Amino acid sequence: MPPNTTATTGDKPAKSGRKKGRKARLVVLVLVLAIIAGVAYGAYWSISTVRASFPQTKGSITLQGLSGPVDVKRDGNGIPQIYASSDADLFMAQGYVQAQDRFYEMDVRRHMTSGRLSEMFGKSQVDNDEFLRTLGWDRVAKEEYDTKLSASTKKYLQAYAKGVNAYLKGKDGKDISLEYAALGFDNNYKPGPWTPVDSVSWLKAMAWDLRGNMQDEIDRALMTSRLDAKQIAQLYPDYPYDRHKAIVQEGQYDEVTKTFEQSGSSSGSGTSTGDTTGTGTGTGVGAGTGTGTGTGTGTSSGGTALESQLAGLYDVLDDVPTAVGVNGQGIGSNSWVVAGSHTITGHPLLANDPHLSASLPSVWYQMGLHCRTVSSKCQYDVTGYTFAGMPGVVIGHNQDIAWGMTNSGVDVTDLYLEKLSGDGYLYDGDTKAFKSREETIKVAGGKSKTIVVRQTRDGMPLLSDRDDELVKVGKKATVDTAAPDRGDGYGVALRWTALDPGTTMDAVFAMDKASNWSEFRSASALFDVPSQNLIYADKNNIGYTLPGKIPTRAEKDDGSIPAPGWDSSYKWTGYIPEDALPYEYNPKRGYIVTANQAVIDPDKYPYTLTTDWGYGTRSQRITDLIESKIKGGGKVSTDDMRQMQLDNSSEIAKLLVPALLKIDVGDKEVRKAQELLEGWDYTQDADSAAAAYFNAVWRNILKLAFGNKLPKELRVEGQCLWVDPVNTTGPADNTQKVRECGQRAADQAQPDGGDRWFEVVRKLMNDPKSAWWTTPKAGTRPPATHNRDDLFKRAMIDARWELTAKLGKDIDTWSWGRLHRLFLKNQTLGTDGPGFLKYILNRGPWKLSGGEATVNASGWNAAGGYGVVWVPSMRMVVNLGDLDKSKWINLTGASGHAYSAHYVDQTSKWAKGELLDWNFSAKAVDKNTGDTLVLKP
């Protein structure tokens, strides 16, 4: 386990610094020994090489381009607070300081967003670069910078880039980060200068990982090879509006309100389910399923064209590096705000903890940006969580307001099956020419490769061009008779709001200096991609707003499945007007909760936002915790907010355990495991044996009832079944079987065990003879199952022996934390580098509490195993009554340098649920400053 470094106060920093120095010298020696042990790679680095990249944090440095001195004050955790007298100096210093701590991370990010990873890592990244060049994030970012962003934003981006480049000046790679020394083994890569567009491009990567329901579109279409429309609908049940409250309950929609109330009805939201699903006619493709309510306008069933294309497309998507999430799936977040009428301070409290992929270093970088005097010359006094590589603060607070974010999940992507014809594509009966461009990919240690990127109408890239097998499949594919003749095959194109230039970078700076609700709403309106749930608080008010560029579609198309690209009636019809987007301000209930649940009940809103919300398990649990506290006049404290963030309660356990305890398992060893559930309070603490056994039972229930019945494209890679190819409902116990192996990465496979599956199982509990509960005989044991209780019994038996294999026969030694572990890996060389580099760069494991769809959402994928896949990437609680009493923590630490004292110094505290003091006022910052660096002009 990494050492714990505690924040210091008062006169303690110097003493603490000496301790940290001794620790740093010790780990440097260990590092050098490890490197010497890797002589098989021809490696020898001196201590000076190892320490060369550690940042200077004391004394002074002269930076050409500053107009005045800038103070950089770091606390005992290495978190910097920057003080300047002009905006340009402030953001130039931000660029310099972030580069000091995190430049390697920044460099990898910009190579990812621009499709140039091959320049750093060689031919292994060519396929990824081809796909990223096809999306063209950097091209859109450049257009955004040239045509959309304000003059002041461009000025700040230029100042930030100037600061980064001032840090890079005169440095070789080994002087910047240890990873560059490692890259020197294979190539002579040297980092180039930073540009403003490099910063803007990062927003596209963030939007990609938070893009909404694209994965569900693919999965539903793939399911048609094995399941019928009714079965697919059962796996995507309606959102439970009666049990899980939407975000907006007392909100407003400006001008839309009048129109909506006068009409007395809405166009609906979502698609129909059951037998009416998938009965549309015409040129539809895929399987018309989804969630929500509305009319039966599902599209007709497609054939092998779509299934084969999407299976291949998924393989391409799965290889694309993640920026902040898990390739668009499994991503969630919590945020809530409580009004002062319900808090012990009499002023609002605001909490936020975004759930993202675990990375080392963390995707977030904590810092403060302070103008010594706030004026028209220097407008910012803000602190919070930033992205290394991008100026400004993304989530946090300034001197007047605080804000948090969760992913809204609104549907901003659509896939289109395109009918290819010669050098063009079919559209409304005519052949249209592709818009195309050439892209040259430079490869470290290899030959450059040139690709052609083709786009259809509205600039939609043809994603299927990026996989040779997809092209072949498209040429041979068949679709239903309603579709055009095959001709030259089919392709898959993407429509996505983030491929249009936007103004999100403007929004970041506008939010950072907003001083009230009106200014915050105006700023958030610029936050077009990705669409986020934004919560707000000032000293006396709370609010919520949904910004974003959200498309509208024709009645026949709700965006839940891929659409026929040859039919213009499936084209987007526009965007939801800005003044029609939902918001709430000071609701009577006195709190607002956002945790990826439905934004608003569709019966109260005329537009379709998505058909694929999260199912509201976390949001309702948070709501219940707040209600239980304030019921009868109780008051909420900062620590109450922290404790809510750590809630481990399993909602699916509350549903299933009573049924599991009624089953006579017979086998005494299985009975011992079953007894763990007796009296269990459903909390998933790391030391809980009951949580370990229940989650193993839940995993096996999902596998038996659903996982083994899904097509291979959704099941875990390498997990094989004997399947009857004639039987479309799953495995069969007969002689006409073939061996079929899963094809999806373990952390992306289905059923993943999230709260969609909670709702699936909940709806089936009262149907104990449903076909989903039936399974074939598995070898010599156990027997086939014919009903719910048979399947539950088999799952309990399988779970007992699975945990015996993983944790040992002695149940007294079992614990959830032994199964549910977090490993932090450097996202490049720590994943694919030589073994000794992985040892140097990676950390862990940590045994974690929490679980899937709990408030303390240490997510795991039930199809793939119990390991932690995504986490609360940070936690914060802002106290609007006294900002210096706010609390925060990061997943890792401020530094991206392996063996820096601040590499993972926050992780053990984070794992325990602790928070650090969040100093804001100049007095509090000075009191807790350990190192001060002065940047001089």
Short mmCIF file of all heavy atoms in Angstrom, two decimals, residues 183-224:
data_model
loop_
_atom_site.label_atom_id
_atom_site.label_comp_id
_atom_site.label_asym_id
_atom_site.label_seq_id
_atom_site.Cartn_x
_atom_site.Cartn_y
_atom_site.Cartn_z
N LEU A 183 10.56 5.92 -22.95
CA LEU A 183 10.28 5.94 -24.39
C LEU A 183 11.56 6.05 -25.19
O LEU A 183 11.65 5.58 -26.33
CB LEU A 183 9.36 7.12 -24.74
CG LEU A 183 7.90 6.98 -24.34
CD1 LEU A 183 7.16 8.28 -24.61
CD2 LEU A 183 7.25 5.84 -25.09
N GLY A 184 12.60 6.63 -24.57
CA GLY A 184 13.88 6.75 -25.24
C GLY A 184 14.53 5.43 -25.56
O GLY A 184 15.46 5.35 -26.38
N PHE A 185 14.04 4.33 -24.93
CA PHE A 185 14.59 3.01 -25.24
C PHE A 185 14.32 2.65 -26.70
O PHE A 185 15.10 1.98 -27.35
CB PHE A 185 13.93 1.94 -24.37
CG PHE A 185 14.24 2.02 -22.92
CD1 PHE A 185 13.51 1.30 -22.00
CD2 PHE A 185 15.27 2.82 -22.45
CE1 PHE A 185 13.79 1.35 -20.65
CE2 PHE A 185 15.56 2.89 -21.11
CZ PHE A 185 14.82 2.16 -20.20
N ASP A 186 13.14 3.06 -27.19
CA ASP A 186 12.68 2.58 -28.49
C ASP A 186 12.69 3.66 -29.57
O ASP A 186 12.72 3.33 -30.75
CB ASP A 186 11.26 2.02 -28.36
CG ASP A 186 11.20 0.84 -27.40
OD1 ASP A 186 12.09 -0.01 -27.46
OD2 ASP A 186 10.25 0.78 -26.60
N ASN A 187 12.59 4.92 -29.21
CA ASN A 187 12.57 5.96 -30.24
C ASN A 187 13.11 7.25 -29.65
O ASN A 187 13.35 7.35 -28.45
CB ASN A 187 11.15 6.16 -30.79
CG ASN A 187 10.17 6.58 -29.71
OD1 ASN A 187 10.32 7.65 -29.13
ND2 ASN A 187 9.16 5.74 -29.44
N ASN A 188 13.29 8.19 -30.48
CA ASN A 188 13.86 9.47 -30.05
C ASN A 188 12.79 10.54 -29.94
O ASN A 188 13.01 11.70 -30.28
CB ASN A 188 14.95 9.91 -31.04
CG ASN A 188 16.13 8.97 -31.02
OD1 ASN A 188 16.59 8.55 -29.96
ND2 ASN A 188 16.62 8.62 -32.20
N TYR A 189 11.62 10.13 -29.47
CA TYR A 189 10.51 11.06 -29.38
C TYR A 189 10.85 12.25 -28.49
O TYR A 189 11.39 12.10 -27.40
CB TYR A 189 9.26 10.36 -28.83
CG TYR A 189 8.14 11.33 -28.54
CD1 TYR A 189 7.33 11.81 -29.56
CD2 TYR A 189 7.93 11.81 -27.24
CE1 TYR A 189 6.33 12.72 -29.29
CE2 TYR A 189 6.92 12.72 -26.98
CZ TYR A 189 6.12 13.17 -28.01
OH TYR A 189 5.14 14.10 -27.75
N LYS A 190 10.51 13.45 -28.95
CA LYS A 190 10.64 14.67 -28.16
C LYS A 190 9.31 15.43 -28.23
O LYS A 190 8.75 15.58 -29.30
CB LYS A 190 11.77 15.56 -28.70
CG LYS A 190 13.15 14.95 -28.58
CD LYS A 190 14.20 15.91 -29.12
CE LYS A 190 15.59 15.31 -29.09
NZ LYS A 190 16.09 15.08 -27.75
N PRO A 191 8.79 15.89 -27.09
CA PRO A 191 7.52 16.61 -27.11
C PRO A 191 7.63 17.94 -27.83
O PRO A 191 8.61 18.68 -27.67
CB PRO A 191 7.19 16.80 -25.63
CG PRO A 191 8.49 16.67 -24.92
CD PRO A 191 9.33 15.72 -25.73
N GLY A 192 6.62 18.26 -28.62
CA GLY A 192 6.57 19.53 -29.33
C GLY A 192 5.89 20.59 -28.50
O GLY A 192 5.39 20.33 -27.39
N PRO A 193 5.82 21.82 -29.00
CA PRO A 193 5.20 22.92 -28.25
C PRO A 193 3.69 22.71 -28.10
O PRO A 193 3.05 22.04 -28.91
CB PRO A 193 5.51 24.15 -29.11
CG PRO A 193 5.77 23.61 -30.48
CD PRO A 193 6.39 22.28 -30.29
N TRP A 194 3.15 23.28 -27.05
CA TRP A 194 1.71 23.23 -26.78
C TRP A 194 0.99 24.31 -27.58
O TRP A 194 1.53 25.40 -27.81
CB TRP A 194 1.46 23.45 -25.29
CG TRP A 194 0.07 23.10 -24.85
CD1 TRP A 194 -0.99 23.94 -24.71
CD2 TRP A 194 -0.41 21.80 -24.51
NE1 TRP A 194 -2.11 23.25 -24.29
CE2 TRP A 194 -1.78 21.92 -24.17
CE3 TRP A 194 0.19 20.53 -24.47
CZ2 TRP A 194 -2.56 20.84 -23.77
CZ3 TRP A 194 -0.59 19.45 -24.07
CH2 TRP A 194 -1.94 19.61 -23.74
N THR A 195 -0.24 24.02 -28.02
CA THR A 195 -1.03 25.00 -28.76
C THR A 195 -2.39 25.17 -28.09
O THR A 195 -2.86 24.28 -27.37
CB THR A 195 -1.26 24.56 -30.22
OG1 THR A 195 -2.20 23.47 -30.24
CG2 THR A 195 0.05 24.13 -30.88
N PRO A 196 -3.05 26.29 -28.33
CA PRO A 196 -4.40 26.47 -27.78
C PRO A 196 -5.37 25.38 -28.22
O PRO A 196 -6.24 24.97 -27.44
CB PRO A 196 -4.82 27.84 -28.32
CG PRO A 196 -3.54 28.58 -28.51
CD PRO A 196 -2.56 27.53 -28.97
N VAL A 197 -5.23 24.90 -29.45
CA VAL A 197 -6.12 23.85 -29.95
C VAL A 197 -5.93 22.55 -29.17
O VAL A 197 -6.88 21.78 -28.99
CB VAL A 197 -5.93 23.64 -31.46
CG1 VAL A 197 -6.75 22.45 -31.97
CG2 VAL A 197 -6.33 24.90 -32.23
N ASP A 198 -4.73 22.30 -28.68
CA ASP A 198 -4.50 21.11 -27.85
C ASP A 198 -5.42 21.11 -26.63
O ASP A 198 -5.91 20.07 -26.20
CB ASP A 198 -3.04 21.05 -27.37
CG ASP A 198 -2.07 20.76 -28.50
OD1 ASP A 198 -2.48 20.16 -29.51
OD2 ASP A 198 -0.89 21.14 -28.37
N SER A 199 -5.64 22.29 -26.07
CA SER A 199 -6.52 22.41 -24.89
C SER A 199 -7.98 22.19 -25.27
O SER A 199 -8.72 21.48 -24.58
CB SER A 199 -6.36 23.78 -24.24
OG SER A 199 -5.06 23.95 -23.72
N VAL A 200 -8.41 22.78 -26.38
CA VAL A 200 -9.80 22.67 -26.80
C VAL A 200 -10.14 21.23 -27.17
O VAL A 200 -11.25 20.73 -26.91
CB VAL A 200 -10.09 23.62 -27.97
CG1 VAL A 200 -11.54 23.50 -28.42
CG2 VAL A 200 -9.79 25.07 -27.59
N SER A 201 -9.19 20.52 -27.77
CA SER A 201 -9.44 19.15 -28.20
C SER A 201 -9.80 18.24 -27.04
O SER A 201 -10.54 17.25 -27.22
CB SER A 201 -8.20 18.58 -28.92
OG SER A 201 -7.95 19.26 -30.12
N TRP A 202 -9.27 18.55 -25.87
CA TRP A 202 -9.57 17.70 -24.72
C TRP A 202 -11.06 17.66 -24.41
O TRP A 202 -11.60 16.64 -23.96
CB TRP A 202 -8.79 18.21 -23.50
CG TRP A 202 -9.11 17.47 -22.25
CD1 TRP A 202 -9.62 18.00 -21.09
CD2 TRP A 202 -8.97 16.07 -21.99
NE1 TRP A 202 -9.79 17.02 -20.15
CE2 TRP A 202 -9.40 15.82 -20.68
CE3 TRP A 202 -8.52 15.00 -22.77
CZ2 TRP A 202 -9.41 14.56 -20.11
CZ3 TRP A 202 -8.52 13.73 -22.20
CH2 TRP A 202 -8.95 13.52 -20.90
N LEU A 203 -11.77 18.74 -24.69
CA LEU A 203 -13.22 18.75 -24.48
C LEU A 203 -13.92 17.73 -25.37
O LEU A 203 -14.96 17.18 -24.99
CB LEU A 203 -13.77 20.15 -24.77
CG LEU A 203 -13.38 21.24 -23.78
CD1 LEU A 203 -13.80 22.60 -24.30
CD2 LEU A 203 -14.02 20.98 -22.41
N LYS A 204 -13.36 17.46 -26.55
CA LYS A 204 -13.96 16.46 -27.44
C LYS A 204 -13.77 15.06 -26.88
O LYS A 204 -14.66 14.21 -26.97
CB LYS A 204 -13.34 16.56 -28.84
CG LYS A 204 -13.49 17.93 -29.49
CD LYS A 204 -14.96 18.34 -29.58
CE LYS A 204 -15.12 19.76 -30.08
NZ LYS A 204 -16.53 20.20 -30.06
N ALA A 205 -12.61 14.81 -26.29
CA ALA A 205 -12.38 13.51 -25.67
C ALA A 205 -13.33 13.30 -24.50
O ALA A 205 -13.89 12.21 -24.32
CB ALA A 205 -10.93 13.39 -25.21
N MET A 206 -13.52 14.34 -23.70
CA MET A 206 -14.44 14.26 -22.57
C MET A 206 -15.86 14.00 -23.07
O MET A 206 -16.58 13.15 -22.54
CB MET A 206 -14.40 15.55 -21.75
CG MET A 206 -15.30 15.54 -20.52
SD MET A 206 -15.15 17.03 -19.51
CE MET A 206 -16.03 18.22 -20.52
N ALA A 207 -16.25 14.69 -24.14
CA ALA A 207 -17.59 14.50 -24.69
C ALA A 207 -17.77 13.10 -25.24
O ALA A 207 -18.85 12.50 -25.13
CB ALA A 207 -17.84 15.54 -25.80
N TRP A 208 -16.72 12.53 -25.82
CA TRP A 208 -16.81 11.17 -26.37
C TRP A 208 -17.13 10.16 -25.27
O TRP A 208 -17.99 9.31 -25.43
CB TRP A 208 -15.51 10.81 -27.07
CG TRP A 208 -15.45 9.40 -27.59
CD1 TRP A 208 -14.75 8.35 -27.09
CD2 TRP A 208 -16.16 8.89 -28.72
NE1 TRP A 208 -14.96 7.22 -27.83
CE2 TRP A 208 -15.82 7.52 -28.84
CE3 TRP A 208 -17.03 9.45 -29.66
CZ2 TRP A 208 -16.34 6.70 -29.86
CZ3 TRP A 208 -17.54 8.65 -30.67
CH2 TRP A 208 -17.19 7.29 -30.75
N ASP A 209 -16.45 10.26 -24.16
CA ASP A 209 -16.68 9.31 -23.08
C ASP A 209 -18.01 9.55 -22.37
O ASP A 209 -18.49 8.68 -21.65
CB ASP A 209 -15.53 9.39 -22.06
CG ASP A 209 -14.33 8.59 -22.50
OD1 ASP A 209 -14.40 7.96 -23.57
OD2 ASP A 209 -13.31 8.61 -21.79
N LEU A 210 -18.61 10.72 -22.56
CA LEU A 210 -19.88 11.04 -21.91
C LEU A 210 -20.98 11.20 -22.95
O LEU A 210 -21.90 12.00 -22.78
CB LEU A 210 -19.73 12.33 -21.09
CG LEU A 210 -18.64 12.31 -20.02
CD1 LEU A 210 -18.51 13.69 -19.37
CD2 LEU A 210 -18.90 11.25 -18.96
N ARG A 211 -20.91 10.41 -24.02
CA ARG A 211 -21.72 10.66 -25.19
C ARG A 211 -23.15 10.14 -25.12
O ARG A 211 -23.94 10.33 -26.04
CB ARG A 211 -21.04 10.10 -26.44
CG ARG A 211 -20.85 8.59 -26.42
CD ARG A 211 -19.96 8.15 -27.58
NE ARG A 211 -19.72 6.71 -27.60
CZ ARG A 211 -18.73 6.10 -26.96
NH1 ARG A 211 -17.90 6.83 -26.23
NH2 ARG A 211 -18.57 4.80 -27.04
N GLY A 212 -23.52 9.41 -24.07
CA GLY A 212 -24.91 8.99 -23.96
C GLY A 212 -25.13 7.55 -24.35
O GLY A 212 -24.38 6.66 -23.95
N ASN A 213 -26.17 7.29 -25.17
CA ASN A 213 -26.68 5.92 -25.33
C ASN A 213 -26.17 5.20 -26.56
O ASN A 213 -26.78 4.22 -27.01
CB ASN A 213 -28.21 5.95 -25.36
CG ASN A 213 -28.74 6.47 -26.70
OD1 ASN A 213 -28.08 7.22 -27.40
ND2 ASN A 213 -29.96 6.08 -27.03
N MET A 214 -25.06 5.61 -27.13
CA MET A 214 -24.56 4.97 -28.35
C MET A 214 -24.32 3.47 -28.13
O MET A 214 -24.61 2.64 -28.99
CB MET A 214 -23.27 5.65 -28.79
CG MET A 214 -22.68 5.10 -30.07
SD MET A 214 -21.30 6.15 -30.58
CE MET A 214 -20.45 5.06 -31.71
N GLN A 215 -23.79 3.12 -26.95
CA GLN A 215 -23.54 1.71 -26.67
C GLN A 215 -24.84 0.93 -26.60
O GLN A 215 -24.93 -0.21 -27.06
CB GLN A 215 -22.77 1.55 -25.36
CG GLN A 215 -22.26 0.14 -25.13
CD GLN A 215 -21.34 -0.32 -26.24
OE1 GLN A 215 -20.31 0.28 -26.48
NE2 GLN A 215 -21.75 -1.36 -26.94
N ASP A 216 -25.87 1.54 -26.01
CA ASP A 216 -27.16 0.85 -25.95
C ASP A 216 -27.74 0.66 -27.35
O ASP A 216 -28.39 -0.36 -27.62
CB ASP A 216 -28.14 1.64 -25.08
CG ASP A 216 -27.78 1.56 -23.60
OD1 ASP A 216 -27.57 0.44 -23.11
OD2 ASP A 216 -27.70 2.61 -22.96
N GLU A 217 -27.54 1.64 -28.24
CA GLU A 217 -27.99 1.48 -29.62
C GLU A 217 -27.36 0.23 -30.24
O GLU A 217 -28.03 -0.58 -30.89
CB GLU A 217 -27.60 2.71 -30.45
CG GLU A 217 -28.43 3.95 -30.21
CD GLU A 217 -28.10 5.04 -31.22
OE1 GLU A 217 -28.06 4.71 -32.43
OE2 GLU A 217 -27.88 6.20 -30.82
N ILE A 218 -26.05 0.10 -30.06
CA ILE A 218 -25.33 -1.03 -30.62
C ILE A 218 -25.82 -2.34 -30.00
O ILE A 218 -26.12 -3.31 -30.70
CB ILE A 218 -23.82 -0.86 -30.42
CG1 ILE A 218 -23.29 0.33 -31.24
CG2 ILE A 218 -23.07 -2.13 -30.80
CD1 ILE A 218 -21.84 0.65 -30.99
N ASP A 219 -25.92 -2.36 -28.68
CA ASP A 219 -26.29 -3.60 -28.00
C ASP A 219 -27.68 -4.07 -28.39
O ASP A 219 -27.91 -5.27 -28.60
CB ASP A 219 -26.21 -3.41 -26.48
CG ASP A 219 -24.78 -3.35 -25.98
OD1 ASP A 219 -23.85 -3.52 -26.80
OD2 ASP A 219 -24.58 -3.13 -24.77
N ARG A 220 -28.63 -3.15 -28.46
CA ARG A 220 -29.99 -3.56 -28.82
C ARG A 220 -30.03 -4.17 -30.22
O ARG A 220 -30.72 -5.16 -30.46
CB ARG A 220 -30.95 -2.37 -28.73
CG ARG A 220 -31.48 -2.12 -27.34
CD ARG A 220 -32.62 -1.11 -27.35
NE ARG A 220 -32.12 0.23 -27.62
CZ ARG A 220 -31.87 1.14 -26.67
NH1 ARG A 220 -32.05 0.82 -25.40
NH2 ARG A 220 -31.44 2.33 -26.97
N ALA A 221 -29.27 -3.57 -31.12
CA ALA A 221 -29.26 -4.11 -32.48
C ALA A 221 -28.59 -5.49 -32.52
O ALA A 221 -29.05 -6.39 -33.22
CB ALA A 221 -28.53 -3.15 -33.41
N LEU A 222 -27.51 -5.65 -31.76
CA LEU A 222 -26.83 -6.93 -31.73
C LEU A 222 -27.70 -8.03 -31.12
O LEU A 222 -27.59 -9.21 -31.49
CB LEU A 222 -25.52 -6.82 -30.95
CG LEU A 222 -24.42 -5.98 -31.60
CD1 LEU A 222 -23.23 -5.82 -30.65
CD2 LEU A 222 -23.96 -6.60 -32.92
N MET A 223 -28.55 -7.66 -30.18
CA MET A 223 -29.41 -8.66 -29.53
C MET A 223 -30.39 -9.31 -30.50
O MET A 223 -30.91 -10.40 -30.23
CB MET A 223 -30.19 -8.01 -28.38
CG MET A 223 -29.36 -7.71 -27.15
SD MET A 223 -30.38 -6.93 -25.86
CE MET A 223 -29.13 -6.57 -24.62
N THR A 224 -30.67 -8.67 -31.63
CA THR A 224 -31.67 -9.21 -32.54
C THR A 224 -31.25 -10.55 -33.14
O THR A 224 -32.09 -11.27 -33.67
CB THR A 224 -31.96 -8.22 -33.69
OG1 THR A 224 -30.75 -7.97 -34.42
CG2 THR A 224 -32.50 -6.91 -33.14
#
